[in-house]
Amino acid sequence: MSEKAIAKKIQEVEVLTERMKSASSFVIVDYAGLTVEQVTKLRRELLDAGCELKVIKNNITKRAAQAAGFSELTEALSGPNAVAFGDSESVAAAKAVYDFAKENKELELKVGVVDGEYMNNEKIQTIATIPSREVLLTMFAAGLMQPIKEFAIAVDLVSQNLEGPSTEESPVE
């Protein structure tokens, strides 16, 4: 191999290492069996979620993963793989890939890293099923409002009982 080719590969490893370190999350997927149209659709869905999909040689990915401190990933790097990077929300890449894989059984979610922590397939799928931040905040707000609502209803019922029966319900004399 020429020195020029070696220098290019070293540079690719360095760039990917920095990308792995800077991403809030990334997942490795096996895309074997997907058509070009399906891969294009996956890329669009990832872009809509603030993520990107890169097809990178396994050898480059292995070296970058080791340099970034994620040597556990190297075991999953066989066959045709792609890496989905997420920058905006920690679970965005895993969620987008998981949702796409539900409709496209050929896509396999292998392993990933979320907030700097290595996650195997099982953990990644668990993370991917967690509702989005907005949904969780809505659920939290609803949980806070329920006791207040019940208290307001109770106070209203007590005040109605203290006032006695209303004039509409009073017996006719």
Side-chain angles (χ1 to χ4, degrees):
M1 191 181 299
S2 71
E3 287 184 30
K4 187 176 181 182
I6 292 172
K8 182 181 177 194
K9 288 189 181 207
I10 290 172
Q11 182 183 9
E12 288 177 13
V13 169
E14 290 172 356
V15 169
L16 185 56
T17 300
E18 287 307 311
R19 183 71 177 108
M20 287 179 166
K21 287 179 179 179
S22 68
S24 61
S25 69
F26 62 91
V27 292
I28 297 174
V29 298
D30 181 348
Y31 66 93
L34 291 180
T35 64
V36 173
E37 292 82 19
Q38 289 172 316
V39 173
T40 303
K41 184 179 178 187
L42 174 60
R43 285 182 189 271
R44 271 193 225 114
E45 289 182 16
L46 283 165
L47 280 173
D48 291 344
C51 304
E52 70 175 324
L53 183 72
K54 290 190 174 274
V55 176
I56 306 164
K57 291 182 179 180
N58 286 338
N59 196 25
I60 302 288
T61 306
K62 284 178 184 178
R63 291 177 187 202
Q66 288 173 339
F70 305 120
S71 57
E72 303 98 332
L73 296 173
T74 59
E75 296 172 15
L77 294 171
S78 61
N81 293 308
V83 184
F85 292 97
D87 294 315
S88 57
E89 192 176 322
S90 294
V91 297
K95 184 176 279 304
V97 170
Y98 179 81
D99 290 343
F100 188 84
K102 283 194 282 187
E103 297 172 14
N104 302 278
K105 302 296 181 194
E106 299 87 9
L107 183 70
E108 179 190 349
L109 182 57
K110 288 185 163 185
V111 295
V113 173
V114 177
D115 290 330
E117 181 183 340
Y118 168 79
M119 301 205 169
N120 62 16
N121 182 290
E122 186 178 299
K123 285 184 180 179
I124 286 287
Q125 289 188 17
T126 301
I127 292 287
T129 58
I130 293 174
S132 69
R133 183 176 190 273
E134 291 77 24
V135 171
L136 288 174
L137 288 174
T138 302
M139 292 167 63
F140 179 68
L144 288 176
M145 292 301 295
Q146 187 62 30
I148 295 169
K149 178 181 171 187
E150 290 174 4
F151 179 72
I153 290 170
V155 168
D156 185 50
L157 289 174
V158 168
S159 70
Q160 287 177 7
N161 284 342
L162 289 177
E163 292 174 1
S166 66
T167 54
E168 297 172 6
E169 297 178 19
S170 62
V172 180
E173 293 182 22

